[in-house]
Structures are given as C-alpha cells and as structure tokens.
C-alpha cells in the first residue's frame, strides 16, 4: 500500500468541511494490512450508570476532527509523513447486550491487533475497554495500563453486575490482561461512596496519582513517574474524557469538577512519550451534553496526540 491512500487530502485543494465523516479526513478503509494504526469507533453505551449517549461519541469526534492538521509542532512530527493510518469504521455492537457486544468488539479488533496495527478506539462508555484489552492481551500478553480518568473504574460490581463502565479494570486484573504493578491511574477526584477506594487500588497493585497529587507534583514530574512506572513494557493508554474538567469537556456521562484544563491535558499526554503503546482509546464523550463541540474537539485532539506519540516513537524509537 503506498502512502497516497493513507494521507488526507490537503485543505488547500479540498476544504476541511468537505468529505467529513472520517477521523482527520483520513481515507475510510477496511484493510487489516499495510497500516500502522487504525481509528475504530465503538458506539456502545449500555455500560453507563448515569447519563447515556456515548454511542454518539465516535461520530461527534470524527466530525470536528476535520479541524486537525497533520503537524504536531510540540512533538516535532508530521504524523502522516511517518505513519500510515486509516479510519476503519465502527464496530456493530448490540445495544443493551454487554457481553455479546464485547464479543463483537474483540472479533473486529483481533485481525488488526494480530497484524500489528495499533488500534485507536473512539468510545463509547468505558466498559468497552475490557473487550479491547482482551484482544490486545491475546497478542501482547499481560500489558501495562496508563489510565487517565477522574474515576478508578475498579468496582467489583455495579447494580449486582460484573460489567459496567465502573468495573473494566477490576475485570482486566482478574482476567490477567493487565499487570497492575506496572500500571498507573492518573487524575482521580470527586466524592466517593467508599473512602478507601485509593487503598483498594493500591492493594491490587496499581499506582494512583489523584488529581490533588498531580497538582502538587506538576506536569513534568507526573509524566516522569508515568514513564518510570511503565518502563519499556507494551502499554495501553485509556483516556476517559471526564479526566478533563467539565468546564472544558462538559459532554460526558459522569463529570467531576476540579479537573484539568485542555492545555494541562495535552501537556501531560505529551509527557508519556517514549512509552511503547500498543493500543489507545478515548471514551465517555456524550455529545448531547456538549456545547459548541468543545468536548468532541478535546477528544479529537487527544486522538491526534495519540497518533503523534506513535509517530514520535517510530521516528526516534
Ligand atoms: Mn470517569
Ligand atoms: Mn472511566
């Protein structure tokens, strides 16, 4: 596959509001070879516990992602000069049926992951990450998790059920998909039912850097701790949009105040450079609660930073 088909058209020959519908106006492909990364939508929100609507996340993120240009100046990469990528569509999940949807997600992702293509998934609520990790672990074994969120998502069950957007990482530990001892959870805050939640996370082996501690440490030192924790292990980056303060990302199911600005968010993601990421997702964008597409635009830019991390790693190792 040559480079031409994996490049978006130039905005000086085709306006950015023409031919939208794919991420960053990339070609729409179903190929599972010849690519470095694939954008894949997972429009599933049956795992939400409060506001639903993240099923419309992928389409909102793609729509406003037309604004993003290929050069990431801070990361010193032109992503499409270094990487071949495509928008590989949405997974046909089954609304209302969590475990059947998980099977569809894994079935869809497996050929990409097996071919060494890095999936960048657009959710969907956070329950979908478990299915993504099942696919990733089948190829890479037990991986490290970099988890940005205002919540730990480590509940043993919610409403008496095993699968929900508050349980994926408890299941991932139980299933041996992630190694908590080289994993890190960043940005947690907000009121809790159980004041011991952070201790439970630590007992499972996770390192948690709550929002207060990120403030005390600063962006650079938090980034250094993340890189030190993960080392050169293959890692999965899962980003819950409620990590960002609701002033910057109101369109989400379970917002928590006291979060991070859009600037701090991008700066902290860039600090995870040098980690060997084998998969990414951005979850919990619920466009019905959004204003002026700011949440979707934040999510689209996070997707661009993920692509930039891959490009940087490929360029400099
Ligand atoms: Mn959350
Ligand atoms: Mn979450």
């Amino acid at each position: 596959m040559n480079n031409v088909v994996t490049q978006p058209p130039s905005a000086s020959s085709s306006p950015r509001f023409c031919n939208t519908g794919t991420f960053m106006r990339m070609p729409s492909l179903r190929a599972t070879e010849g690519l470095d990364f694939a954008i894949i939508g997972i429009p599933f929100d049956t795992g939400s516990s409060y506001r639903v609507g993240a099923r419309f996340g992928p389409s909102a993120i793609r729509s406003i992602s037309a604004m993003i240009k290929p050069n990431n100046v801070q990361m010193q990469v032109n992503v499409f000069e270094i990487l071949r990528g495509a928008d590989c569509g949405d997974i046909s999940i089954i609304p209302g049926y969590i475990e059947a949807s998980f099977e569809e997600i894994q079935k869809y992702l497996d050929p990409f992951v097996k071919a060494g293509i890095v999936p960048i998934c657009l959710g969907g609520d956070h329950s979908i990450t478990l299915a993504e990790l099942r696919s990733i672990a089948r190829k890479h074994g037990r991986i490290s998790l970099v988890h940005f969120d205002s919540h730990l998502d480590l509940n043993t069950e919610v409403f008496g059920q095993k699968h929900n957007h508050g349980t994926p990482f408890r299941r991932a530990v139980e299933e041996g998909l992630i190694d908590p001892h080289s994993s890190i959870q960043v940005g947690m805050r907000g009121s809790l039912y159980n004041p011991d939640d952070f201790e439970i996370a630590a007992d499972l082996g996770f390192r948690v850097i709550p929002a207060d501690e990120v403030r005390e440490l600063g962006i650079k030192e938090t980034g250094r701790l993340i890189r030190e924790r993960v080392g050169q292990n293959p890692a999965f980056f899962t980003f819950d949009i409620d990590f960002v303060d609701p002033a910057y990302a109101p369109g989400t199911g379970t917002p928590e105040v006291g979060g991070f600005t859009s600037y701090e968010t991008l700066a902290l993601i860039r600090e995870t450079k040098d980690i060997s990421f084998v998969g990414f997702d951005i979850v919990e964008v619920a466009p019905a609660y959004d204003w002026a597409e700011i949440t979707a635009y934040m999510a689209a830019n996070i997707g661009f930073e993920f692509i930039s991390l891959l490009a940087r790693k490929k360029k400099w190792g």
Side-chain angles (χ1 to χ4, degrees):
M1 184 175 297
N2 64 35
N3 264 340
V4 177
V5 297
T6 54
Q7 291 256 4
S10 162
S12 19
S13 57
S14 168
R16 284 203 295 267
F17 45 84
C18 294
N19 299 306
T20 58
T22 63
F23 193 79
M24 286 182 74
R25 301 158 63 244
M26 285 194 287
S28 174
L29 287 180
R30 290 294 181 278
T32 54
E33 56 191 31
L35 297 175
D36 296 304
F37 72 91
I39 301 287
I40 295 165
I42 310 182
F44 182 77
D45 60 11
T46 299
S48 297
S49 56
Y50 195 66
R51 297 166 172 171
V52 292
R55 66 181 61 179
F56 296 112
S59 119
I61 296 167
R62 285 184 173 113
S63 173
I64 192 65
S65 73
M67 289 277 290
I68 301 174
K69 304 160 196 81
N71 275 293
N72 188 323
V73 177
Q74 289 83 354
M75 298 286 272
Q76 297 173 276
V77 286
N78 177 319
V79 296
F80 294 119
E81 277 175 12
I82 299 167
L83 299 173
R84 294 160 303 166
D87 191 321
C88 296
D90 279 345
I91 302 176
S92 294
I93 53 75
I94 304 150
Y97 294 85
I98 291 198
E99 291 183 58
S101 293
F102 285 179
E103 281 172 33
E104 293 303 315
I105 294 167
Q106 195 179 340
K107 222 189 293 171
Y108 199 96
L109 292 181
D110 277 348
F112 290 94
V113 173
K114 230 181 262 174
I117 301 166
V118 176
I120 301 178
C121 297
L122 312 175
D125 72 59
H126 221 158
S127 68
I128 61 171
T129 308
L130 179 65
E132 296 167 49
L133 291 171
R134 284 174 178 167
S135 179
I136 297 271
R138 191 180 275 192
K139 158 111 179 170
H140 297 280
R142 193 182 294 223
I143 53 152
S144 303
L145 186 74
V146 176
H147 175 202
F148 282 26
D149 199 326
S150 65
H151 311 101
L152 292 160
D153 297 348
L154 285 172
N155 290 290
T156 36
E157 50 181 48
V158 178
F159 311 130
Q161 300 293 321
K162 282 170 63 178
H163 298 302
N164 164 280
H165 71 163
T167 64
F169 306 114
R170 171 72 70 148
R171 296 289 94 79
V173 173
E174 289 168 356
E175 294 182 20
L177 311 176
I178 57 174
D179 169 26
H181 299 279
S182 61
S183 295
I184 190 154
Q185 301 180 286
V186 183
M188 286 70 209
R189 60 187 189 271
S191 51
L192 297 172
Y193 288 108
N194 179 1
D196 302 329
D197 276 358
F198 291 157
E199 283 161 46
I200 291 167
D203 289 345
L204 284 168
F206 287 98
R207 169 76 159 99
V208 180
I209 309 185
D212 286 338
E213 200 181 331
V214 177
R215 292 267 166 223
E216 282 163 30
L217 294 169
I219 299 290
K220 291 270 176 209
E221 177 62 8
T222 304
R224 194 191 64 74
L225 289 173
I226 297 169
R227 294 195 305 273
E228 180 185 82
R229 178 77 173 174
V230 174
Q232 279 311 305
N233 300 331
F236 187 92
F237 199 147
T238 186
F239 194 103
D240 185 325
I241 198 71
D242 67 34
F243 172 88
V244 184
D245 192 88
Y248 298 83
T252 192
T254 51
E256 297 292 350
V257 298
F260 299 93
T261 67
S262 50
Y263 176 82
E264 290 164 339
T265 300
L266 298 178
L268 190 52
I269 293 170
R270 289 174 191 144
E271 287 298 320
T272 67
K273 60 180 188 273
D274 306 332
I275 291 177
S276 300
F277 288 113
V278 294
F280 300 86
D281 68 12
I282 310 153
V283 299
E284 299 284 351
V285 173
Y289 297 93
D290 204 3
W291 295 97
E293 301 177 278
I294 58 172
T295 312
Y297 196 38
M298 181 80 239
N301 275 280
I302 292 164
F304 176 58
E305 293 301 329
F306 286 167
I307 298 169
S308 304
L309 287 169
L310 285 179
R312 215 188 139 87
K313 187 79 183 162
K314 187 165 181 189
K315 191 171 172 187
W316 285 298

